[in-house]
Amino acid sequence: MFSRKNKNTIDSLIGVSTSIEGNLHFKGGLRIDGHVKGNVIAEPGVSSMLVISEQARIDGEVRAAHIVVNGEINGPVFSTELIELQAKSRISGDVHYKALEMMSGALVTGKLAHDQQAAEPVLKLAASN
């Protein structure tokens, strides 16, 4: 009856054997399995999802609404909705978030900074399986 796009849809994929140098701008959903040397930025004001797999590495700034990390990020991270740090995630840089879910084993070398525009911080501790 109501047609609406699922927020968790992945529209684009950067494969494990792909290496990109330069800034990457996207809409919708993006999964990165390869290496990006540059900033990865979702279009502001639009619902977006970024998945960074276990094999992926990003050297640059990351900005998206919903971010799922299980790989490596060297640079600041900005999430306007939710950031999920999976067990093998490694972030060297400050993490700015509205809501945060962090699994046991995730590593952040930097500050965790809650978005001050939200009413209250939402932290969700996930049990390891």
Side-chain angles (χ1 to χ4, degrees), residues 96-112:
H96 303 266
Y97 64 92
K98 183 175 180 182
L100 170 70
E101 182 176 322
M102 188 170 186
M103 300 287 287
S104 177
L107 176 63
V108 176
T109 306
K111 296 179 187 174
L112 293 175

Side-chain angles (χ1 to χ4, degrees), residues 39-120:
N39 300 329
V40 178
I41 301 172
E43 183 174 314
V46 177
S47 182
S48 59
M49 179 168 194
L50 175 62
V51 177
I52 300 164
S53 77
E54 187 177 335
Q55 302 89 2
R57 188 173 95 214
I58 298 174
D59 295 317
E61 182 178 295
V62 174
R63 290 182 179 266
H66 184 175
I67 304 172
V68 179
V69 182
N70 205 23
E72 182 180 354
I73 300 173
N74 297 307
V77 179
F78 298 86
S79 172
T80 56
E81 289 178 14
L82 170 67
I83 183 164
E84 300 176 42
L85 302 179
Q86 302 292 322
K88 295 189 178 181
S89 63
R90 297 161 313 281
I91 298 178
S92 296
D94 295 344
V95 177
H96 303 266
Y97 64 92
K98 183 175 180 182
L100 170 70
E101 182 176 322
M102 188 170 186
M103 300 287 287
S104 177
L107 176 63
V108 176
T109 306
K111 296 179 187 174
L112 293 175
H114 178 256
D115 180 8
Q116 298 301 321
Q117 295 176 2
E120 61 184 64

